């Protein structure tokens, strides 16, 4: 709703428009503060893992939050013309494309060390050569401190012992870290566009 108000200035009360723009910029300032506090400069931070898991870390689909938060900063840039917000978006994209603790581009086909094996029923070449590899441009869900799948747990990792950004494996069976979804990838397409 906030974006709808901010994008339809002539259709809403001027106070509502100003509040919407202000709120988008305030949220973006928060994401920039997260970028400034971290060595890899991403607009995302640790939080409680779920309603039934009070541990802290990166959530399932953490890369989607990086992309979504980058969209908010992109709107702040478009509405304010303040380049700090554009720089914030670039920080999020840089993280997704390989400036991160595991040195992976979380987008297939992009970067010198791009992930290759999303958890997907059709792009399953890793387990059956009759199926294709994922095409270029697919984003992985990324690091997940919850380590819910048997592949990750079977790799000897123990929840809480690995830094959140390092809770990632490029394997089709590692569905809690390497799933790809249309809603996560639509956010990637938006920020790249």
């Amino acid at each position: 709703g906030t974006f709808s108000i901010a994008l339809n200035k002539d259709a809403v009360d001027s106070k509502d428009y100003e509040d919407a723009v202000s709120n988008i910029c305030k949220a973006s300032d928060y994401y920039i503060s997260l970028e400034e506090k971290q060595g890899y400069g991403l607009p995302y931070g640790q939080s409680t893992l779920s309603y039934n898991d009070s541990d802290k870390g990166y959530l399932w689909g953490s890369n989607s939050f990086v992309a979504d938060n980058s969209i908010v900063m992109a709107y702040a840039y478009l509405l304010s013309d303040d380049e700090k917000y554009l720089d914030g978006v670039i920080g999020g994209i840089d993280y997704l494309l390989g400036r991160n603790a595991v040195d992976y581009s979380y987008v297939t086909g992009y970067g010198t060390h791009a992930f290759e094996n999303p958890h997907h029923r059709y792009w399953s070449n890793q387990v059956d050569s009759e199926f294709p590899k994922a095409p270029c441009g697919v984003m992985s869900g990324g690091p997940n401190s919850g380590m819910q799948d048997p592949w990750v747990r079977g790799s000897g990792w123990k929840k809480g012992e690995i830094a959140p950004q390092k809770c990632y494996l490029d394997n089709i069976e590692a569905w809690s870290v390497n799933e790809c979804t249309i809603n996560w990838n639509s956010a990637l397409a938006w920020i790249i566009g």
Side-chain angles (χ1 to χ4, degrees), residues 114-126:
F115 98 102
E116 297 179 359
N117 303 297
H119 177 73
H120 196 275
R121 301 296 189 268
Y122 184 64
W123 303 324
S124 57
N125 183 267
Q126 185 179 21

Side-chain angles (χ1 to χ4, degrees), residues 55-132:
D55 289 348
K56 300 277 188 200
Y58 279 16
L59 302 177
W60 192 317
S62 62
N63 286 345
S64 73
F65 294 101
V66 173
D68 289 343
N69 296 347
S70 295
I71 288 173
V72 175
M73 292 186 293
Y75 273 107
Y77 171 67
L78 294 171
L79 293 165
S80 71
D81 208 31
D82 188 333
E83 290 196 9
K84 74 178 180 182
Y85 299 124
L86 181 59
D87 291 341
V89 175
I90 293 167
I93 293 170
D94 285 348
Y95 170 82
L96 294 172
L97 292 177
R99 190 186 67 198
N100 54 58
V102 291
D103 195 34
Y104 264 105
S105 170
Y106 294 116
V107 181
T108 55
Y110 291 91
T112 56
H113 189 220
F115 98 102
E116 297 179 359
N117 303 297
H119 177 73
H120 196 275
R121 301 296 189 268
Y122 184 64
W123 303 324
S124 57
N125 183 267
Q126 185 179 21
V127 293
D128 186 340
S129 62
E130 296 294 316
F131 285 86

